[in-house]
Amino acid sequence: MSSTVRRAGLAVVAATLALAGAVYGVTRSTAANAAVQLTAPQLVADMGAGWNLGNQLEANANGIPSETAWGNPVITQALIDRVKASGFKTIRIPISYLGKIGAGPNYTVDSAWLNRVQEVVNYAYNSGLYVLINMHGDGYKSVTGSWLICDASDQTTIKAKYQKVWQQVATKFASYNDHLIFESMNEEFDGQYGNPTQPCYSNIVAYNQIFVDTVRQTGGTNASRWLLIPGWNTNIEYTTGSYGFSLPTDAYRSSSIPSGEQRLMISVHYYDPWDFTGQEDGNITQWGAAATNSAKKSTWGQEDYMDLMLKKVYDTFVTKGYPFFVGEYGSIDKTSADSANNTYRANFAKALVATAKKYGGASAYWDNGYNGQYGFGLFNRSSNTVTQQGIISAIITAAGGTSPTTPPVSPSPSKTPGSPSPSPSKSSPGGTGTCRVVNAVNAWNTGLTNNITITNTGSTAINGWNLVFTLPAGQTITGGWSATYSPTSGTVTATNVSYNGTLAPGGSTTIGYQANHTGNAAAPTGFKLNGSTCS
């Protein structure tokens, strides 16, 4: 989405604010970093419901990236915990670099900015979520300092700069497992809506090739990591039709990837019909077959059109082994004009997620952090509370997950991975306490993943824990994250890692694993936390 639209309704502060807190890296456990290669259908199923951390790391003031420049507060672990507790399994994090890039020929990215990017990625990644990061805003002509301009004259310099920036980003994250996905760029086009122009589209195709080659050659998990590739303005018609898009070759990918499988995904966005989803007026407030007022409903862009467009992606790419990701979709709040608008916003979101899933794709709702008239927000980022439970429930349900019937409670106090543990008023080192466990199993024909959320329901903190549970017969753990697991079948003990060993009263952590199964994909049973039976 363009920078103008993504800031809709925000009181933009035209100054760069200092980042709060120390910048640091987080060490992830060996078990967490074990690469688990999923096929395209497995990946899409495992990604589940997605959400965008919009208007933050791509925000800028006068071309200098700053996460608070567009009116949102500093990103916290508590916010990501809330998003995860609401049922989301994937977070897309748009990122601008702009004035944080130094001069050529090295084009060095400011280390403090890159460390902050890593810190925010770790908030989600260390919680077992899928994370997508991209280059977002560096190609908008409307943004001061933009440079990734497909119809600019000096393409040699642009391509060299693009290659160097992605080389640094990919190197920074080379050890992260396949829960991290890179997207080459966002909504790249010449700034003129309408049919793609040449040679602009040819340059976009060239950027994508540079991206794939550069990331692969940095090694580590990057050699097999899933990479997300957009066409012209992430527009479905201009990506699937005969307008100049072509997929990059993947010559440097790891030899460990089976020859018949891909590691490239297609990036598209969906905001049709715009008069319902994004146009800031009260004229079109209803959508879909359930609309009750034809005068408030667009003349196009309903369920049949949505199905037609996503089927084009399926026919063009999914049938050839390339899954797709609807990296942005959503609709603005028009309840000021129609009190029933949120019902239709939820219907739109539910239909998009379900249709994408039907055709082999995953999706992420666009949230710009703004609540109220014309906002896209689902959460209040200052209080870390849910503002649109109806839309969230529709998304989670359509993706195949389970959404809380009431807004979930955030862990309190919040702990940032890698930071010192909070000092609770009462502490019982190695204590038992009482506990609650929630499983989230996603299964396919011979495998599954399970995210286990552990909550300390007692009145004292737990410092250091192990969780014992019994796997169903025929299940064997093949990889895990946020805990160590031993043995891999039968009765298993999961032990905390460095960053999640403290569970404050009411606090939670989520761990997870992937397992093979021989027909029984049920959740484990018999949970005991430090010897205490969990509900």
Side-chain angles (χ1 to χ4, degrees):
M1 181 178 288
S2 71
S3 59
T4 301
V5 174
R6 68 181 69 257
R7 288 180 288 180
L10 287 174
V12 178
V13 181
T16 304
L17 303 180
L19 296 176
V23 176
Y24 52 82
V26 176
T27 302
R28 192 170 168 83
S29 68
T30 301
N33 272 329
V36 178
Q37 294 186 356
L38 302 182
T39 64
Q42 291 168 353
L43 175 72
V44 169
D46 202 38
M47 289 176 72
W51 176 83
N52 271 274
L53 182 62
N55 278 27
Q56 295 260 218
L57 295 186
E58 87 279 23
N60 76 89
N62 297 318
I64 305 299
S66 168
E67 66 191 275
T68 59
W70 292 351
N72 278 313
V74 170
I75 304 160
T76 64
Q77 180 71 56
L79 171 64
I80 304 306
D81 290 344
R82 171 68 75 178
V83 172
K84 179 177 178 178
S86 295
F88 290 97
K89 296 186 64 183
T90 295
I91 293 183
R92 180 175 181 258
I93 304 176
I95 302 165
S96 286
Y97 294 93
L98 298 167
K100 296 291 188 181
I101 305 171
N106 293 328
Y107 301 107
T108 303
V109 178
D110 178 76
S111 60
W113 181 243
L114 199 51
N115 285 339
R116 177 55 179 162
V117 168
Q118 182 183 41
E119 185 176 36
V120 174
V121 167
N122 285 339
Y123 291 161
Y125 176 82
N126 286 335
S127 297
L129 298 172
Y130 279 93
V131 184
L132 289 94
I133 61 174
N134 66 8
M135 185 178 288
H136 198 113
D138 290 59
Y140 293 147
K141 290 182 177 179
S142 59
V143 172
T144 301
S146 61
W147 56 274
L148 189 65
I149 308 300
C150 64
D151 59 351
S153 58
D154 189 359
Q155 287 297 313
T156 299
T157 297
I158 288 172
K159 290 171 183 176
K161 186 173 182 177
Y162 181 72
Q163 190 274 334
K164 288 294 187 182
V165 174
W166 264 117
Q167 184 179 57
Q168 293 168 75
V169 174
T171 300
K172 186 79 169 179
F173 293 101
S175 65
Y176 286 54
N177 72 18
D178 287 351
H179 272 66
L180 180 64
I181 296 170
F182 298 155
E183 180 181 26
S184 66
M185 52 198 163
N186 176 78
E187 296 181 355
E188 180 66 22
F189 65 126
D190 66 2
Q192 303 297 319
Y193 290 93
N195 288 343
T197 60
Q198 295 293 340
C200 198
Y201 211 154
S202 295
N203 287 327
I204 291 171
V205 170
Y207 301 159
N208 282 331
Q209 187 65 65
I210 292 169
F211 163 73
V212 172
D213 290 345
T214 299
V215 170
R216 292 293 189 231
Q217 291 181 87
T218 58
T221 308
N222 290 337
S224 60
R225 186 179 309 286
W226 282 94
L227 303 178
L228 193 55
I229 308 299
W232 180 276
N233 200 24
T234 59
N235 178 283
I236 292 176
E237 183 65 40
Y238 297 147
T239 304
T240 60
S242 299
Y243 295 92
F245 177 78
S246 62
L247 278 165
T249 59
D250 201 0
Y252 300 102
R253 72 182 205 165
S254 170
S255 60
S256 67
I257 301 173
S259 59
E261 294 182 12
Q262 312 299 339
R263 284 294 184 273
L264 303 179
M265 303 175 69
I266 308 303
S267 175
V268 297
H269 294 174
Y270 194 89
Y271 290 106
D272 293 329
W274 183 250
D275 52 5
F276 171 74
T277 64
Q279 189 168 300
E280 294 185 358
D281 60 39
N283 297 329
I284 303 299
T285 60
Q286 300 187 11
W287 181 88
T292 59
N293 185 343
S294 59
K296 291 287 186 181
K297 178 180 176 179
S298 183
T299 58
W300 70 288
Q302 307 304 305
E303 290 98 337
D304 55 345
Y305 181 82
M306 179 185 289
D307 191 277
L308 173 67
M309 296 308 290
L310 294 181
K311 187 176 185 298
K312 286 186 177 184
V313 187
Y314 172 83
D315 290 340
T316 307
F317 298 109
V318 178
T319 57
K320 299 176 179 64
Y322 300 95
F324 68 93
F325 188 71
V326 184
E328 295 182 18
Y329 72 91
S331 55
I332 60 176
D333 188 335
K334 300 185 182 183
T335 52
S336 59
D338 183 347
S339 61
N341 174 243
N342 280 341
T343 296
Y344 302 107
R345 295 176 69 202
N347 290 349
F348 176 85
K350 184 176 183 178
L352 186 284
V353 174
T355 307
K357 183 179 179 182
K358 168 185 172 183
Y359 286 122
S363 55
Y365 176 90
W366 177 256
D367 187 326
N368 65 358
Y370 179 68
N371 291 280
Q373 187 178 41
Y374 306 143
F376 281 94
L378 303 182
F379 301 89
N380 182 316
R381 297 185 190 177
S382 295
S383 61
N384 303 315
T385 55
V386 170
T387 60
Q388 295 290 346
Q389 185 62 53
I391 298 175
I392 292 174
S393 295
I395 292 169
I396 305 304
T397 300
T402 302
S403 180
T405 55
T406 57
V409 177
S410 292
S412 177
S414 174
K415 181 178 183 298
T416 302
S419 66
S421 299
S423 299
S425 57
K426 292 187 290 183
S427 178
S428 58
T432 57
T434 55
C435 51
R436 180 174 66 251
V437 166
V438 177
N439 293 280
V441 176
N442 278 283
W444 53 94
N445 54 348
T446 59
L448 60 86
T449 61
N450 185 21
N451 283 302
I452 304 171
T453 299
I454 310 163
T455 302
N456 176 11
T457 57
S459 58
T460 58
I462 298 173
N463 294 319
W465 53 262
N466 61 70
L467 182 72
V468 177
F469 55 85
T470 301
L471 292 172
Q475 289 189 16
T476 302
I477 294 175
T478 57
W481 49 92
S482 300
T484 58
Y485 300 85
S486 180
T488 57
S489 61
T491 299
V492 177
T493 298
T495 304
N496 70 272
V497 291
S498 60
Y499 55 79
N500 63 359
T502 296
L503 293 177
S508 298
T509 189
T510 298
I511 64 176
Y513 59 83
Q514 180 168 345
N516 295 328
H517 68 83
T518 57
N520 184 355
T525 56
F527 289 97
K528 291 186 177 182
L529 186 68
N530 288 2
S532 179
T533 300
C534 299
S535 59

